[in-house]
Amino acid sequence: MLIEILAAAPAAPQNAFGFWEAMEQGGVIAWSVLAILTIMSVSSFYILFSKLFEQNKVMKQGQSMRSTFWRAGSLKEGAAKLEKNSAYRQIVDDAIQADADHAKLTDPVEAHDWLHGSIERSQDSIKSKLATGLPWLATVGATSPFIGLFGTVIGIYRALIKIGIAGQASIDAVAGPVGEALIMTALGLGVAVPAVLAYNWLQGRNKRISEQLGAFSNDVLGYMASDGGVKPAAASAAAKPAAKSAAPAAKK
């Protein structure tokens, strides 16, 4: 009896105006817009996560540098304590190489200017590497709404054609094209908003990293210009307690 009642129950009406139905009605243009926006979205998230990994790595290198580098007796000893492919190691190695190359110059150039230019070039190369991929995020954030708008315009155009053919604006005639148009708008915004947020966030983190690299470069330049007499305040403060603790031991 129950089986007969269930069999006699009317089947649920099928939705003819869903996402996939609207895409099928849109044809090649709708699928092309969807493919382009999908590629933009996937590439944006790939850049976001890869840049986050790269930035976190440089930030950890900065923490390691502050705890070990300035405790060394010389730049070469300090560089040996840093990671081989560290951004801070690159600055120190380039500074040491520039100091060695200065003696080979036949045209007299101020050592400070030569070292400053070499360290600045090294710092700029690191900044350029950190900024790789960010222009693509800006491009996606700026263009994806218009790509979605293109699909919206085509959907509205198709709706107007159906109205003209039917002679009246019935819901069943225009629901598909209008739904397609709204979907294209939503997809464009859904791709643009995360890309813009990621771009601004990564740019802010890059700015903080650049400030840290600039401060470190200035400290290295001051150290080299003073033959090791000038060190960062944190390094000098850490050296004083060590000297005080060594003094009682010497008295004993």
Side-chain angles (χ1 to χ4, degrees):
M1 183 67 179
L2 180 60
I3 297 177
E4 294 178 356
I5 294 175
L6 293 176
Q14 185 178 2
N15 183 13
F17 305 106
F19 175 81
W20 298 113
E21 289 75 12
M23 294 300 299
E24 289 177 359
Q25 292 183 22
V28 176
I29 294 179
W31 287 109
S32 299
V33 171
L34 177 62
I36 294 172
L37 292 177
T38 300
I39 294 172
M40 284 184 164
S41 179
V42 172
S43 61
S44 296
F45 279 101
Y46 172 77
I47 292 173
L48 169 62
F49 291 118
S50 62
K51 289 287 112 178
L52 278 177
F53 175 78
E54 188 176 357
Q55 289 176 342
N56 289 335
K57 184 178 180 180
V58 176
M59 289 179 176
K60 290 181 180 179
Q61 292 170 356
Q63 295 175 357
S64 176
M65 177 276 301
R66 285 188 288 272
S67 62
T68 60
F69 179 78
W70 291 112
R71 296 180 181 178
S74 64
L75 289 182
K76 290 185 178 181
E77 292 179 7
K81 295 181 179 181
L82 301 177
E83 296 181 19
K84 185 176 181 180
N85 296 323
S86 169
Y88 294 88
R89 174 74 176 267
Q90 176 181 332
I91 292 176
V92 177
D93 288 343
D94 290 344
I96 294 174
Q97 184 63 40
D99 187 38
D101 292 341
H102 180 263
K104 302 176 184 178
L105 299 178
T106 56
D107 188 18
V109 178
E110 287 290 337
H112 179 273
D113 295 338
W114 174 257
L115 290 175
H116 182 271
S118 300
I119 293 176
E120 188 174 6
R121 285 195 300 271
S122 179
Q123 185 179 344
D124 289 342
S125 67
I126 298 172
K127 292 179 182 179
S128 178
K129 184 178 179 181
L130 289 173
T132 303
L134 297 188
W136 174 250
L137 290 180
T139 301
V140 171
T143 59
S144 56
F146 296 101
I147 295 175
L149 183 61
F150 173 75
T152 300
V153 171
I154 297 301
I156 296 298
Y157 174 71
R158 292 180 61 253
L160 293 176
I161 291 177
K162 282 197 171 186
I163 291 173
I165 294 175
Q168 56 182 354
S170 59
I171 296 298
D172 57 345
V174 299
V178 171
E180 172 201 341
L182 295 177
I183 289 172
M184 293 294 104
T185 301
L187 290 176
L189 294 176
V191 173
V193 172
V196 172
L197 293 176
Y199 174 80
N200 291 330
W201 187 34
L202 294 175
Q203 279 283 62
R205 288 167 62 90
N206 275 350
K207 183 178 180 181
R208 290 193 294 272
I209 292 174
S210 298
E211 292 173 353
Q212 295 173 1
L213 290 174
F216 177 72
S217 299
N218 187 65
D219 292 336
V220 171
L221 182 61
Y223 182 90
M224 298 183 71
S226 62
D227 292 331
V230 176
K231 285 187 177 182
S236 301
K240 289 180 180 179
K244 289 181 180 179
S245 61
K251 291 179 179 179
K252 292 180 182 180

